[in-house]
Amino acid sequence: MTFTSVLENIARSPIATKIGEKLTTAKSISLSGLSRLGKGLISTHLCQQQTKPLLIVTATVEETTRWALQLQSMSWRVYLYQPLDTFPYESSQIDLETAWTRIEILAELLAKPQHNLAIATTINALQPHLPSTQVFQKHSIYLNIGDSQSVKLLAVALSRLGYVEVKEVKDSKQWSRKGFSFEVFPVNRNLPVRLSCNRGTVEKIREFDPNNPKSFTDLSSIAIAPVDLHEFVSAHKATLLHYLPKNFVVAIDEPEQCQSYGDRWYEAAEELYQNQSQANTPKLHWDFAKCMTEAKKFQMLQLSERSLKPKANIFDFASSSIPIVPHQFDQMAALIREYLKSEYQVTLISAQPLRVATLLKEYDCIANFVSNPDDLQAIARIQKAGKPVILKYSGLMEMQGFVLPSCNLALLTDRELFGQQLLASPTFVHPSHITSAKSVNPDELNVGDYVVHRKYGIGKFTRFETIEVKGEKQPHYIVEFADGKTAVAIAPENEKILSRYRSASNKPPKLNSIANTKAWDNALSKC
């Protein structure tokens, strides 16, 4: 991953060693003077050092999404957990996508997740909004490859969850048995899965397309949600913390902001509670102090950008932004030489690594591009020779460079180099939604099929059209959106931004608009 070498540099720093030693005795520590990227790198290093999973808690959904994208680029398998945005004393309509994603996350947590799992969420996840773990386990199924599983008990469990046995699985809420194999179409997935069991053990889990048996994806686990979600929305006794294994590290990002938001939410919830008509309604909202008391049952990190005075359990990194104006490569080259003179490890992360190397070379600053960011030996050789390293990153994460004196580290991004920033709100796709079975196969795509564009939302595939680009003719996907006139041409090398539209309903979906992506952004934020 892009930041592997940066994490190695942090691991060798004295302050990281000192914090690691402190964590063996202290239950909670504060890390201050860090930007969002710096917080992510330091938190990742500390968790990797102890081989522990991570829960990051922020004040808002927008900040949670940024954290999820950031952690994805640091070798984590990331879930974005979105709690209810309503109060427990209000009637609200169930958002199925949000509920199903939440069930997948909770089921994995109760099944002892691996240490590379990170969950990003808001402070509201620490409020009671979930059924107890006992109720949850009774109304869901979670299977890993290698799990012991009775064929008869699995059939009973599927029926208990509301699934209907059929001869051939084609639609959601159906299951069938073929010898020691099961096919089931979970309501929380876009495609059915096939479970192969042998002598009471789950050997294979495969997601497949009923219309194309050759199109399948191997899975390591599967969560199956109940058809009826009543139990999950009628009981609000537990918080997300009740589902976490004890080895989790809980990181509170900007505690002051979380408290400010939490206090406002608590005041509104308290007013609703006092005004509600039923006298025996249990209290289902906590103040911020109670939430923090529960969080402190885990090993906890408190992360803040503002510098704090160092104390026994407070470590200040005193990081700063890169003091440079974009496109001024003469000044940039001079600044990089100053960092190298101070024995800093300088890393440049860009979507245009070769361009950066050429521009810096014009001002006598030789920077080496390493195409494989996991080639730690090559990167170490370059840095040992006193040269900056350039790594490629072309994802959707918002990045801002920084100087970290305590780690002798300087990191520059396209924001400092070219002044580039994201023009649209960042969107996050959950791991269970990224499968090759969902991706677009040009041999299977028919005119009139509905597809999902990662940035613009639901559209309709109308045709292939040959377009000349830089003297070369290539077939492009033509996808039309809401107004029937606006279309997008997508080159074959970019086909990963398209996925097939799947729904348990036979009704045609409502197309999204390119001119106004707010509806699509809102839909994604709930996934």
Side-chain angles (χ1 to χ4, degrees):
M1 296 298 241
T2 305
F3 294 99
T4 305
S5 61
V6 179
L7 289 167
E8 285 287 317
N9 288 334
I10 289 173
R12 291 193 292 268
S13 66
I15 189 170
T17 303
K18 190 175 179 180
I19 295 171
E21 293 170 352
K22 191 69 178 179
L23 275 173
T24 59
T25 56
K27 194 72 174 177
S28 174
I29 65 171
S30 295
L31 307 177
S32 68
L34 288 166
S35 64
R36 186 193 303 115
L37 183 55
K39 294 174 198 173
L41 289 166
I42 298 297
S43 301
T44 296
H45 160 67
L46 294 173
C47 289
Q48 287 181 348
Q49 187 182 49
Q50 304 177 87
T51 60
K52 290 186 174 183
L54 173 67
L55 173 72
I56 178 73
V57 180
T58 75
T60 65
V61 173
E62 292 77 15
E63 194 62 22
T64 298
T65 303
R66 295 186 183 99
W67 263 97
L69 289 166
Q70 172 173 271
L71 292 171
Q72 256 186 348
S73 69
M74 297 176 187
S75 303
W76 291 99
R77 192 167 62 84
V78 184
Y79 282 118
L80 191 153
Y81 180 92
Q82 182 158 343
L84 291 174
D85 54 4
T86 57
F87 297 100
Y89 315 108
E90 292 180 322
S91 59
S92 60
Q93 188 176 0
I94 302 173
D95 185 287
L96 293 179
E97 287 294 335
T98 302
W100 292 336
T101 300
R102 193 182 301 156
I103 287 170
E104 290 186 31
I105 298 170
L106 298 176
E108 181 167 349
L109 288 175
L110 294 177
K112 297 181 180 179
Q114 297 180 350
H115 62 81
N116 69 332
L117 176 67
I119 299 173
T121 190
T122 68
I123 190 66
N124 278 3
L126 276 54
Q127 294 286 344
H129 65 285
L130 294 169
S132 67
T133 55
Q134 293 81 5
V135 169
F136 180 88
Q137 287 176 314
K138 184 180 177 181
H139 293 89
S140 64
I141 298 173
Y142 188 85
L143 294 171
N144 283 298
I145 289 178
D147 282 355
S148 297
Q149 180 60 56
S150 162
V151 173
K152 289 183 179 179
L153 290 179
L154 181 56
V156 171
L158 288 169
S159 297
R160 188 181 69 241
L161 265 59
Y163 289 82
V164 179
E165 185 176 7
V166 295
K167 288 186 178 180
E168 201 74 34
V169 171
K170 293 182 180 180
D171 298 312
S172 183
K173 308 174 188 178
Q174 296 179 342
W175 72 277
S176 68
R177 178 179 171 184
K178 299 177 180 179
F180 292 102
S181 294
F182 284 80
E183 291 183 358
V184 56
F185 200 144
V187 293
N188 52 301
R189 298 194 73 89
N190 294 292
L191 292 170
V193 293
R194 183 177 295 115
L195 307 169
S196 300
C197 302
N198 184 22
R199 297 181 180 179
T201 301
V202 180
E203 286 194 335
K204 288 183 181 179
I205 304 174
R206 283 183 166 179
E207 186 178 65
F208 67 95
D209 185 344
N211 299 318
N212 181 13
K214 294 183 180 179
S215 176
F216 62 84
T217 302
D218 286 313
L219 305 174
S220 59
S221 60
I222 180 68
I224 303 175
V227 172
D228 183 3
L229 294 175
H230 175 74
E231 290 289 344
F232 292 95
V233 296
S234 61
H236 302 292
K237 297 180 180 179
T239 76
L240 179 59
L241 296 174
H242 290 104
Y243 286 75
L244 295 186
K246 292 299 181 184
N247 66 331
F248 255 79
V249 173
V250 176
I252 310 295
D253 182 40
E254 300 298 338
E256 292 180 352
Q257 293 179 17
C258 288
Q259 180 170 4
S260 176
Y261 181 87
D263 287 347
R264 293 197 304 271
W265 188 91
Y266 177 83
E267 289 170 4
E270 179 67 19
E271 184 177 349
L272 282 171
Y273 177 69
Q274 296 297 338
N275 294 334
Q276 52 89 32
S277 57
Q278 297 179 5
N280 297 324
T281 302
K283 192 171 183 177
L284 300 172
H285 60 284
W286 293 350
D287 59 21
F288 182 75
K290 170 69 171 173
C291 294
M292 291 298 284
T293 298
E294 292 298 311
K296 286 179 180 177
K297 293 179 180 179
F298 299 83
Q299 192 174 71
M300 193 166 80
L301 304 176
Q302 298 191 55
L303 312 172
S304 63
E305 187 171 354
R306 182 170 62 90
S307 287
L308 303 175
K309 186 177 180 180
K311 293 182 181 179
N313 292 341
I314 298 177
F315 296 86
D316 184 56
F317 284 81
S319 72
S320 59
S321 56
I322 303 293
I324 200 72
V325 177
H327 300 287
Q328 303 300 315
F329 281 88
D330 55 340
Q331 298 175 24
M332 220 168 286
L335 183 63
I336 289 173
R337 285 193 289 269
E338 285 296 317
Y339 289 145
L340 295 172
K341 190 176 178 180
S342 301
E343 298 185 347
Y344 278 40
Q345 306 292 345
V346 180
T347 303
L348 299 97
I349 297 178
S350 174
Q352 308 173 76
L354 296 178
R355 182 187 176 197
V356 172
T358 302
L359 290 168
L360 289 175
K361 188 176 180 181
E362 292 178 8
Y363 298 99
D364 299 323
C365 180
I366 307 301
N368 293 84
F369 168 50
V370 179
S371 58
N372 180 9
D374 293 323
D375 190 349
L376 299 180
Q377 289 186 341
I379 293 171
R381 282 196 302 269
I382 294 167
Q383 291 179 333
K384 192 174 182 179
K387 296 179 180 179
V389 170
I390 307 176
L391 303 174
K392 184 171 183 177
Y393 177 77
S394 53
L396 296 175
M397 181 182 80
E398 286 186 78
M399 280 197 295
Q400 183 175 358
F402 59 84
V403 183
L404 208 58
S406 53
C407 297
N408 278 21
L409 181 67
L411 191 147
L412 288 80
T413 71
D414 277 342
R415 187 167 182 169
E416 290 76 40
L417 299 170
F418 303 110
Q420 292 183 0
Q421 300 185 43
L422 290 180
L423 298 178
S425 300
T427 55
F428 174 79
V429 181
H430 280 276
S432 62
H433 297 172
I434 307 172
T435 64
S436 59
K438 269 189 70 181
S439 63
V440 168
N441 184 334
D443 295 330
E444 301 168 11
L445 202 59
N446 298 311
V447 171
D449 284 353
Y450 293 102
V451 294
V452 180
H453 189 286
R454 188 184 300 172
K455 181 177 179 181
Y456 300 124
I458 301 172
K460 182 185 288 188
F461 170 67
T462 58
R463 65 191 183 280
F464 278 111
E465 186 174 305
T466 301
I467 299 175
E468 186 173 331
V469 179
K470 295 181 180 180
E472 184 179 346
K473 293 183 177 180
Q474 284 186 324
H476 284 60
Y477 299 91
I478 304 299
V479 179
E480 288 188 354
F481 289 87
D483 57 13
K485 297 178 181 179
T486 309
V488 173
I490 297 133
E493 62 266 23
N494 296 325
E495 65 183 25
K496 288 184 178 180
I497 66 173
L498 287 180
S499 60
R500 289 178 291 178
Y501 174 80
R502 293 286 179 189
S503 173
S505 170
N506 293 323
K507 292 175 62 178
K510 181 180 178 181
L511 301 185
N512 290 107
S513 169
I514 291 180
N516 181 11
T517 60
K518 187 175 180 180
W520 177 241
D521 291 341
N522 289 339
L524 282 171
S525 70
K526 295 178 181 178
C527 293

